[in-house]
Amino acid sequence: MAAQQTAVRASSSFNTLPLLLLAALATATPAVAESTLQVAGELNLSLAHYRGHQEAGGLHTQTRLDSYGSRLTLRGTEALGGSLKASFTLASSLGPDDGRGRFCSRDCWVALSGDFGMLKLGRLLPIYDDVSVPWYFIETPGTHNPLALWANCGGGAGLESGCLDNYLPGSLRYDTPRVSGWSASASASRVEDVPEPGRAAKVYTLGGDYRDAGWYMGYAAQIQDDARGAGLRDTGFTVSLLYKGPLTLGLGYEHLRYKMAGGETLRRDYLGLLLARYTGPHATWFNLGRAGSGHGDAARGATVNAVSQLPRSGAWMWSVGQHYKISPTVKLYGFYTEIRNEPHGAYALDAASAKWLGRGRRLSTWALGYIVRF
């Protein structure tokens, strides 16, 4: 699933590491230095139909061409001797639907790795995003993504609006080696000009995961300071469990906590479920998510993006779909997604639908598309 993106300027706080990487590459002798360069990408196009109710009443429908997850990626690796390697990833978004794209709008980092683990610097996702693997596992981008509810990123929200799943520039991330299936991760990010010019948001994430014999378990905690404003703190904790077998089962839980200007807190819980049945390279899947109503000691009506301190302000979201691989690089897919907001709920699929969707409304979409990988 593509995480929400925030248009911000990267901090220069960690700009010394690229120089260290270049120095390491320069000192590598031809006898031990081996380099590789890979070019890969994905084009994803779908015809989607949206249907929902507006704030003032009436039904809104829209049919459009969508492109989610389309990207071009450059990867390079340089062996420096022993287990030490230098590497980089440059991933840019592509817009086959409208011809638009952004350089380095996705993962864009340099790294050093070895027996000690891996150290990354640049624009990247923290482990908080990785732990949502039970919902990414179907590997078909689109508006069925539970990010509309999970992490409070619906409606195109970014870091400055309380979303906890963002590509973060100015990031330093460390991942330990995997031992008996377990690995841990820590990252720190400084994102300039959020939420206003001259101010920086700080994001700290700690977590770990286990991967072995079809099992995945993950947990992560994240703190976002000054992202919505000076002195405000957003925190999230998420855990997930996945088993891939004849029937793939994924479960997830998340707790969000927002500190408001007066010191009060606004909280929200989320539960998610994924069921998928694989037949060779093909899959049929069902996804269910439940965002609870906002609670805590914040004033009635206090709101952070779609989370509100109001009774019955939660939502249900469910999707059913299928993807069919017709070759190793080409996949066809179709899905249906629906969000059912409670009377005071205002969760939306994306930025476009958020503009016309009213509180307490039902929103649905179906999509038919194809993916070409290269």
Side-chain angles (χ1 to χ4, degrees):
M1 115 188 137
Q4 301 296 312
Q5 302 174 12
T6 309
V8 290
R9 177 168 55 84
S11 166
S12 59
S13 303
F14 303 116
N15 280 349
T16 56
L17 189 58
L19 298 178
L20 295 177
L21 287 174
L22 290 174
L25 288 172
T27 57
T29 65
V32 297
E34 293 183 7
S35 61
T36 62
L37 177 63
Q38 295 179 329
V39 181
E42 180 176 297
L43 293 177
N44 173 37
L45 281 170
S46 65
L47 181 65
H49 179 75
Y50 293 81
R51 179 183 175 94
H53 293 274
Q54 298 173 283
E55 187 75 57
L59 186 66
H60 181 100
T61 61
Q62 183 183 60
T63 301
R64 68 179 194 234
L65 194 63
D66 283 341
S67 176
Y68 289 93
S70 294
R71 62 187 181 273
L72 176 67
T73 303
L74 300 177
R75 295 186 182 93
T77 302
E78 183 86 7
L80 303 178
S83 67
L84 190 64
K85 294 181 180 179
S87 59
F88 71 88
T89 292
L90 304 176
S92 304
S93 62
L94 300 177
D97 55 336
D98 57 14
R100 299 178 182 178
R102 289 179 54 208
F103 178 71
C104 265
S105 58
R106 302 173 68 87
D107 286 303
C108 202
W109 44 260
V110 294
L112 278 174
S113 61
D115 293 336
F116 62 89
M118 176 176 281
L119 192 66
K120 296 180 182 177
L121 173 70
R123 177 185 172 87
L124 49 84
L125 290 167
I127 194 173
Y128 198 91
D129 175 86
D130 303 349
V131 171
S132 60
V133 69
W135 303 295
Y136 285 124
F137 203 77
I138 52 178
E139 298 176 351
T140 303
T143 49
H144 60 77
N145 193 323
L147 200 66
L149 273 62
W150 181 82
N152 193 22
C153 296
L159 186 68
E160 74 284 355
S161 300
C163 168
L164 270 80
D165 188 10
N166 297 273
Y167 283 98
L168 299 171
S171 295
L172 180 64
R173 172 172 171 169
Y174 169 67
D175 295 279
T176 69
R178 193 164 295 277
V179 179
S180 299
W182 286 99
S183 177
S185 177
S187 63
S189 308
R190 180 180 174 86
V191 187
E192 301 286 356
D193 299 338
V194 174
E196 59 191 42
R199 180 171 290 163
K202 285 79 69 178
V203 182
Y204 310 98
T205 311
L206 183 67
D209 63 32
Y210 172 85
R211 302 169 188 259
D212 188 51
W215 285 95
Y216 173 90
M217 292 179 284
Y219 66 93
Q222 185 161 300
I223 297 174
Q224 300 182 169
D225 283 334
D226 305 324
R228 290 180 294 115
L232 301 184
R233 168 170 284 189
D234 307 338
T235 60
F237 174 76
T238 187
V239 294
S240 63
L241 173 67
L242 176 76
Y243 174 70
K244 184 179 181 181
L247 179 66
T248 293
L249 171 65
L251 301 170
Y253 167 77
E254 178 189 55
H255 178 74
L256 299 180
R257 181 179 183 273
Y258 296 102
K259 179 181 177 182
M260 310 305 287
E264 304 88 357
T265 60
L266 174 63
R267 306 169 187 262
R268 194 213 67 182
D269 297 289
Y270 173 87
L271 291 172
L273 166 71
L274 168 70
L275 295 173
R277 170 68 174 174
Y278 284 81
T279 306
H282 320 306
T284 302
W285 48 267
F286 171 75
N287 206 315
L288 178 66
R290 164 64 179 167
S293 298
H295 58 95
D297 59 1
R300 180 184 175 88
T303 300
V304 177
N305 194 33
V307 178
S308 295
Q309 172 60 301
L310 289 170
R312 303 190 67 189
S313 59
W316 289 90
M317 178 177 176
W318 66 275
S319 301
V320 61
Q322 186 171 38
H323 67 242
Y324 184 88
K325 285 188 177 181
I326 60 177
S327 80
T329 59
V330 179
K331 179 192 297 183
L332 303 179
Y333 66 87
F335 63 82
Y336 174 84
T337 299
E338 184 173 302
I339 291 180
R340 291 201 175 196
N341 284 296
E342 293 181 338
H344 293 114
Y347 290 88
L349 290 169
D350 56 12
S353 59
K355 293 178 180 179
W356 44 262
L357 183 68
R359 283 189 176 271
R361 307 298 184 177
R362 173 182 168 186
L363 175 66
S364 65
T365 180
W366 59 257
L368 297 172
Y370 71 95
I371 296 172
V372 178
R373 293 178 176 172
F374 56 90

